[in-house]
Amino acid sequence: MRAKKLLSWRALLGAALAISALTLLVWPSLPAQATATTPDAAARTSGPVTICLVTADAPNRERTVKVAEWAADVLLKQTRSYAGQCASYGTPSALGNGTVRTYAQVSGAKPQTVGIVFPKSMLTGLPTSMTDGHHCYDVNGDGSVDQHTECVGGHERPLDLPSQLTSLPGMPLKWALVNFNPMGHGPEHIYDTPHFDFHFYTQSKAERDAIRSGPCGLAINCDDYATAIKPVPPQYLPQDYVNNNVAEAAMGNHLVDLNSPEWSSVAFTQTFIYGAYDAKISFLEPMITKAWFEGIANGVNPSRCWPIKQPQQWQLGGWYPQDYCIDYRANRGDFTVSMKNFKNSAA
């Protein structure tokens, strides 16, 4: 009897969703005099909702559809569907017991979302050593390398961005980089806790790779250090961000917002960094602790967005995000770190 009720419920749900979709296709909006006296009417009054439909019988097939708001709510809970246009993806790279990869949601010629996606399993089995040894330099010349003081970058995973995104006119983002820092990094008592750096580069990968290791700054070549700390002209410097000359090999300079909570004796959980090289903004970087992700999955921390502080003017015109978000999608068992609400800004 219970099985029959369950099948009946599933059949009714399927029928309801089909009716919802057909209704939206045939009658995209109600006349002005219509009233929201039924679920169908209420849904049509609020307008169609775009989701990427993913069903259990075809988990690798994604279809962009428009459905009533109430139907979208059900689908986002009961299936692997997700909000917005279906995404295009970059090449996955192994990290921990999972992978990281980029994704982008694009509508026409406008970017909607750009981010990194990874399964919850990625948070387990992560490297425990300070660094992967890719960017080290014997700064004190003692014939050995101290991972804690003479290496930078933690464990890095360079990632390509989807071509659907990079081919958009006016898209300044070129590639992405995820760094996992098992013991954090400096400054001491600020960012020295296990965390991830999610870099989205406006600088080409070839130019970034050319930032050499050496004895200056954070294990960076001294000539490259001088280039990295050149001040960004004030009109191009994001609001409240300052240059503390924190330049490192294979990265460049890091501009920090001293109004961010971690600079006021509040434990670091997440923040947003701008990178610079040769007096130009070179990357945009959400930086997030491993513990924050675990708290979201456990229902302690919320999935949410934060505004990205903007400069008065961008050196290079194009599409720039106004918000960054951290989300756990329980129906998919994955996390997304994304930038959204893109605005086409003139140079």
Side-chain angles (χ1 to χ4, degrees):
M1 185 68 177
R2 185 177 179 183
K4 288 183 178 179
K5 287 183 178 180
L6 180 60
L7 289 171
S8 176
W9 180 87
R10 289 182 182 277
L12 287 172
L13 174 61
L17 297 182
I19 292 169
S20 169
L22 287 171
T23 301
L24 291 171
L25 287 171
V26 179
W27 297 287
S29 60
L30 283 177
Q33 68 270 21
T35 57
T37 56
T38 68
D40 278 322
R44 292 199 303 275
T45 300
S46 63
V49 176
T50 300
I51 67 166
C52 183
L53 180 65
V54 187
T55 57
D57 60 325
N60 297 318
R61 182 185 178 195
E62 299 189 348
R63 292 165 288 169
T64 300
V65 298
K66 290 182 181 292
V67 297
E69 186 175 356
W70 68 270
D73 289 341
V74 173
L75 287 168
L76 294 176
K77 291 176 183 177
Q78 301 297 329
T79 73
R80 287 177 55 80
S81 303
Y82 55 89
Q85 301 279 337
C86 288
S88 55
Y89 297 94
T91 307
S93 182
L95 183 61
N97 291 328
T99 61
V100 289
R101 63 176 175 170
T102 61
Y103 75 101
Q105 292 170 283
V106 176
S107 179
K110 181 179 180 180
Q112 301 289 326
T113 304
V114 179
I116 309 288
V117 59
F118 54 91
K120 182 180 177 181
S121 62
M122 190 275 283
L123 296 178
T124 59
L126 287 163
T128 57
S129 61
M130 185 73 178
T131 174
D132 55 22
H134 287 167
H135 308 294
C136 300
Y137 192 85
D138 182 9
V139 176
N140 60 14
D142 67 353
S144 64
V145 171
D146 185 332
Q147 284 195 359
H148 294 267
T149 60
E150 298 177 317
C151 295
V152 294
H155 296 263
E156 67 174 20
R157 298 293 187 272
L159 302 170
D160 59 318
L161 287 169
S163 59
Q164 184 188 19
L165 178 79
T166 55
S167 63
L168 286 179
M171 172 46 61
L173 302 178
K174 294 179 170 63
W175 63 290
L177 178 72
V178 174
N179 298 77
F180 175 59
N181 304 280
M183 304 174 196
H185 54 62
E188 190 177 5
H189 306 308
I190 303 291
Y191 299 128
D192 55 355
T193 188
H195 70 267
F196 297 87
D197 302 332
F198 299 91
H199 303 88
F200 297 87
Y201 273 86
T202 58
Q203 181 186 40
S204 74
K205 188 173 185 299
E207 291 174 346
R208 174 268 188 184
D209 290 347
I211 303 174
R212 299 162 290 180
S213 299
C216 289
L218 299 176
I220 184 174
N221 172 274
C222 294
D223 290 339
D224 294 347
Y225 177 79
T227 302
I229 66 172
K230 286 182 182 179
V232 176
Q235 68 271 32
Y236 305 131
L237 188 68
Q239 179 186 348
D240 297 328
Y241 281 78
V242 298
N243 176 11
N244 285 340
N245 296 336
V246 186
E248 68 177 76
M251 195 73 70
N253 202 7
H254 292 75
L255 310 177
V256 296
D257 178 5
L258 294 181
N259 291 323
S260 195
E262 67 271 14
W263 294 97
S264 301
S265 301
V266 177
F268 162 57
T269 57
Q270 55 72 38
T271 194
F272 195 90
I273 306 289
Y274 276 99
Y277 193 76
D278 198 14
K280 298 185 287 289
I281 296 299
S282 57
F283 60 78
L284 291 71
E285 178 196 352
M287 193 161 74
I288 306 157
T289 64
K290 179 174 178 283
W292 184 261
F293 287 116
E294 293 167 339
I296 295 177
N298 294 330
V300 176
N301 302 328
S303 291
R304 60 161 294 184
C305 298
W306 293 262
I308 299 173
K309 294 182 178 180
Q310 305 287 307
Q312 296 176 29
Q313 186 179 355
W314 288 97
Q315 288 162 304
L316 177 65
W319 293 105
Y320 290 93
Q322 309 297 299
D323 303 289
Y324 73 100
C325 306
I326 310 170
D327 294 294
Y328 178 61
R329 304 186 295 192
N331 65 322
R332 297 178 65 86
D334 65 16
F335 291 94
T336 60
V337 176
S338 62
M339 301 190 299
K340 301 181 178 181
N341 189 19
F342 280 77
K343 179 181 178 182
N344 200 347
S345 300

